[in-house]
Amino acid sequence: MILDLVFQAKMAQTHFTAAAFLALVLLSSSVLMAESGIGVNWGTLSLHKLSPYTVVDLLKQNKIEKVKLFDADPYCLNALRGSGIQVMVGIPNEMLSVFSSSTDACDLWVSQNISRYKGKGGVDIRYVAVGNEPFLTSYSGQFQSYVVPALLNLQQSLAKANVANFVKLVVPCNADAYESSLPSQGAFRSELTQIMTQIVSFLNTNGSPFVVNIYPFLSLYGNSDFPQDYAFFAGTNHAVTDGANVYYNAFDGNFDTLVAALNKLGYGQMPIVIGEIGWPTDGAISANLTAARAFNQGLIDHVLRNEGTPLRPGVPPMDIYLFSLLDEEAKSILPGTFERHWGIFSFDGQAKYPLNLGLGNRLLKNARDVEYLPSRWCVANPSRDLSGVANHMKIACSSADCTTLNYGGSCNGIGAKGNISYAFNSYYQVKKQKSQSCDFDGLGIVTFLDPSVGDCRFLVGITDSSSSNVEASGGQVNFWILILWSFWIYIL
């Protein structure tokens, strides 16, 4: 059982001349031996939004040259113009149905989200992620039939726009798409074999890598018997022996399980990109700053040594995208209360812990010119009876993020009154410190003394440009109107 959890998550023959065959071998070797690039995932589900221009400056300050977006947010893309940062834009799973059945919708999306940003001084878009983990077991196959038709339609649209040679389509998969008790026996889930064969063939034909999301933290979080040291890179007492190969960390084992699965389909040499990988810092047991630093630094050092894995010695992943750049306090916590704390930076762009990305800076640099609200906090009124506070706390935490109060969180041990104050303050800051937002029927009071205790930080919010956020979301709303219009025309 342990081994199963360790490695789960998240061609027609052609005849070549001798010269052509040698050229192909040399080209393949040069692709596989390329040094890994370190990028980040930039999610925007935050209650305290940094200006995208501040975020792009943060990327540049830290010499991060690759970024992955989960949609085609126009405000983020505008901020990336002229930055030289390589970008992967995402298409949400909910849009796959439309794209699988409407070439007009695909043409429109490419025009609005790719073509308009390309060109001199534009955005260096390299990849389009068609869906995000669309084969996740928890989705029960609801997106499965849309992926290949959407890929084919979008490829045609890229070709029509004359960008197919520069922009490649990929399908980020969770590690639960494949399974095995040992890496060498890796195979895609039986119900995915046919569709994965089609996708991998498509990727190979169009020069795209296989993108996979690997989360050793989730294996540890989901199974109390999982050997904790096996999740990291500092050695383990629970190494996994697979024939002549020995695995000393969960990442290598998971990666080689995918390599074996690809090999079974005839594509064992396909380049692999790690689309998401990281470690959360709060909200659950094992989610803390020390563990996150150990995992991320260990991962980066391991990958940049170019040692590869037992099934791909000397061949590390093509790229890895750390998850994630910033905390996202508006994310769903259905997978776990740690979901809002994956950032290597806090919501305000401040580094959480020392980390060397191997990109030139020894340590992370903080975001510049962040504008904070005044230094004041909302806490429980010490002169009031707090016995009837439960409903107020529920309201506060439904609008703000209180996940650090959960078992294993950084604020779990501050006591009942501290919990109340933390919830009140979180709500107060989300509401931009409006005076009525610290009322709670007289149970809250504003203080100018920082109530933070130890590692439990009572935040102060940041200012943001409401017009910028309206512009971004408005752009997305207008685009959905165009998509629906296009789909309606297609049906007629």
Side-chain angles (χ1 to χ4, degrees):
M1 164 141 344
I2 289 178
L3 293 180
D4 288 337
L5 287 166
V6 167
F7 304 119
Q8 63 95 38
K10 289 194 180 226
M11 183 188 303
Q13 293 183 338
T14 306
H15 297 287
F16 297 98
T17 65
F21 179 77
L22 178 60
L24 180 60
V25 171
L26 291 174
L27 176 61
S28 299
S29 297
S30 65
V31 171
L32 286 175
M33 291 303 293
E35 184 172 298
S36 297
I38 306 296
V40 294
N41 286 267
W42 175 9
T44 57
L45 298 177
S46 178
L47 299 172
H48 305 273
K49 290 183 181 292
L50 275 179
S51 161
Y53 293 92
T54 300
V55 176
V56 171
D57 181 66
L58 177 66
L59 294 170
K60 293 169 69 175
Q61 284 292 306
N62 286 283
K63 306 185 189 304
I64 298 170
E65 298 180 346
K66 299 175 186 288
V67 69
K68 177 169 165 279
L69 306 175
F70 291 93
D71 54 20
D73 186 292
Y75 199 56
C76 294
L77 288 171
N78 279 324
L80 285 161
R81 285 185 185 273
S83 66
I85 296 171
Q86 298 174 17
V87 180
M88 182 188 299
V89 296
I91 294 175
N93 292 330
E94 292 72 22
M95 296 172 70
L96 296 180
S97 174
V98 174
F99 289 162
S100 71
S101 58
S102 172
T103 55
D104 288 340
C106 292
D107 290 345
L108 181 60
W109 188 90
V110 169
S111 173
Q112 291 290 313
N113 299 287
I114 304 298
S115 299
R116 72 184 293 185
Y117 295 107
K118 296 294 287 183
K120 186 176 181 180
V123 183
D124 187 6
I125 299 174
R126 298 293 182 94
Y127 298 106
V128 173
V130 182
N132 185 48
E133 301 182 339
F135 308 117
L136 199 66
T137 52
S138 60
Y139 291 149
S140 302
Q142 64 176 303
F143 305 114
Q144 189 167 319
S145 63
Y146 305 135
V147 177
V148 172
L151 275 173
L152 297 175
N153 287 341
L154 285 163
Q155 185 66 27
Q156 290 182 15
S157 297
L158 291 175
K160 289 179 191 176
N162 296 316
V163 295
N165 290 333
F166 312 103
V167 180
K168 303 298 181 181
L169 300 178
V170 296
V171 183
C173 292
N174 187 276
D176 78 345
Y178 48 89
E179 55 195 3
S180 177
S181 58
L182 291 173
S184 63
Q185 300 172 10
F188 289 105
R189 298 197 324 255
S190 57
E191 72 272 21
L192 296 179
T193 300
Q194 182 177 0
I195 192 171
M196 279 300 178
T197 301
Q198 295 174 303
I199 289 174
V200 172
S201 176
F202 173 91
L203 297 175
N204 183 70
T205 299
N206 292 285
S208 299
F210 192 97
V211 178
V212 64
N213 303 336
I214 295 176
Y215 283 106
F217 170 80
L218 296 181
S219 296
L220 180 63
Y221 177 78
N223 179 17
S224 59
D225 293 328
F226 187 94
Q228 182 163 328
D229 58 2
Y230 190 72
F232 296 89
F233 299 88
T236 178
N237 295 317
H238 302 85
V240 174
T241 300
D242 183 5
N245 297 323
V246 180
Y247 291 88
Y248 297 96
N249 63 79
F251 173 78
D252 284 356
N254 202 313
F255 186 90
D256 273 2
T257 305
L258 172 59
V259 172
L262 290 170
N263 192 52
K264 283 184 172 61
L265 300 184
Y267 297 92
Q269 298 302 308
M270 172 166 282
I272 295 173
V273 167
I274 309 302
E276 297 177 24
I277 187 166
W279 200 279
T281 59
D282 214 329
I285 293 293
S286 299
N288 56 68
L289 296 173
T290 301
R293 181 177 185 271
F295 179 84
N296 284 330
Q297 193 65 69
L299 169 72
I300 293 166
D301 294 345
H302 178 66
V303 169
L304 293 184
R305 281 196 296 268
N306 295 324
E307 295 174 349
T309 60
L311 294 187
R312 282 194 177 177
V315 183
M318 183 176 171
D319 294 314
I320 63 171
Y321 291 83
L322 296 178
F323 191 84
S324 61
L325 180 66
L326 302 165
D327 281 349
E328 297 177 84
E329 316 96 294
K331 283 191 70 178
S332 168
I333 58 173
L334 285 178
T337 51
F338 52 82
E339 273 296 317
R340 297 173 176 175
H341 304 281
W342 290 95
I344 58 176
F345 293 92
S346 54
F347 71 91
D348 53 353
Q350 307 305 296
K352 293 183 182 178
Y353 47 82
L355 187 66
N356 184 348
L357 297 176
L359 301 175
N361 293 339
R362 292 187 60 189
L363 297 177
L364 297 177
K365 294 188 176 182
N366 294 330
R368 300 187 295 190
D369 302 323
V370 178
E371 297 183 6
Y372 292 88
L373 297 171
S375 295
R376 57 190 181 211
W377 299 261
C378 178
V379 296
N381 190 332
S383 65
R384 296 293 302 271
D385 176 12
L386 301 174
S387 58
V389 78
N391 191 52
H392 292 294
M393 284 193 68
K394 181 178 180 180
I395 292 173
C397 292
S398 67
S399 298
D401 175 38
C402 297
T403 54
T404 61
L405 297 176
N406 288 297
Y407 181 65
S410 61
C411 297
N412 177 248
I414 61 174
K417 186 171 291 187
N419 290 346
I420 297 168
S421 294
Y422 188 91
F424 283 6
N425 182 66
S426 297
Y427 181 84
Y428 179 62
Q429 304 298 337
V430 165
K431 297 301 180 181
K432 296 290 185 282
Q433 298 185 358
K434 293 180 180 177
S435 57
Q436 62 270 30
S437 65
C438 188
D439 183 30
F440 299 106
D441 289 338
L443 300 183
I445 187 172
V446 173
T447 179
F448 296 92
L449 297 176
D450 187 350
S452 298
V453 180
D455 292 332
C456 178
R457 175 191 174 196
F458 279 60
L459 64 87
V460 171
I462 58 175
T463 63
D464 57 15
S465 172
S466 58
S467 61
S468 298
N469 293 328
V470 170
E471 175 188 347
S473 60
Q476 294 286 19
V477 170
N478 290 336
F479 172 68
W480 271 106
I481 292 173
L482 290 172
I483 284 291
L484 293 173
W485 171 82
S486 176
F487 191 44
W488 179 252
I489 294 297
Y490 173 80
I491 293 174
L492 294 178

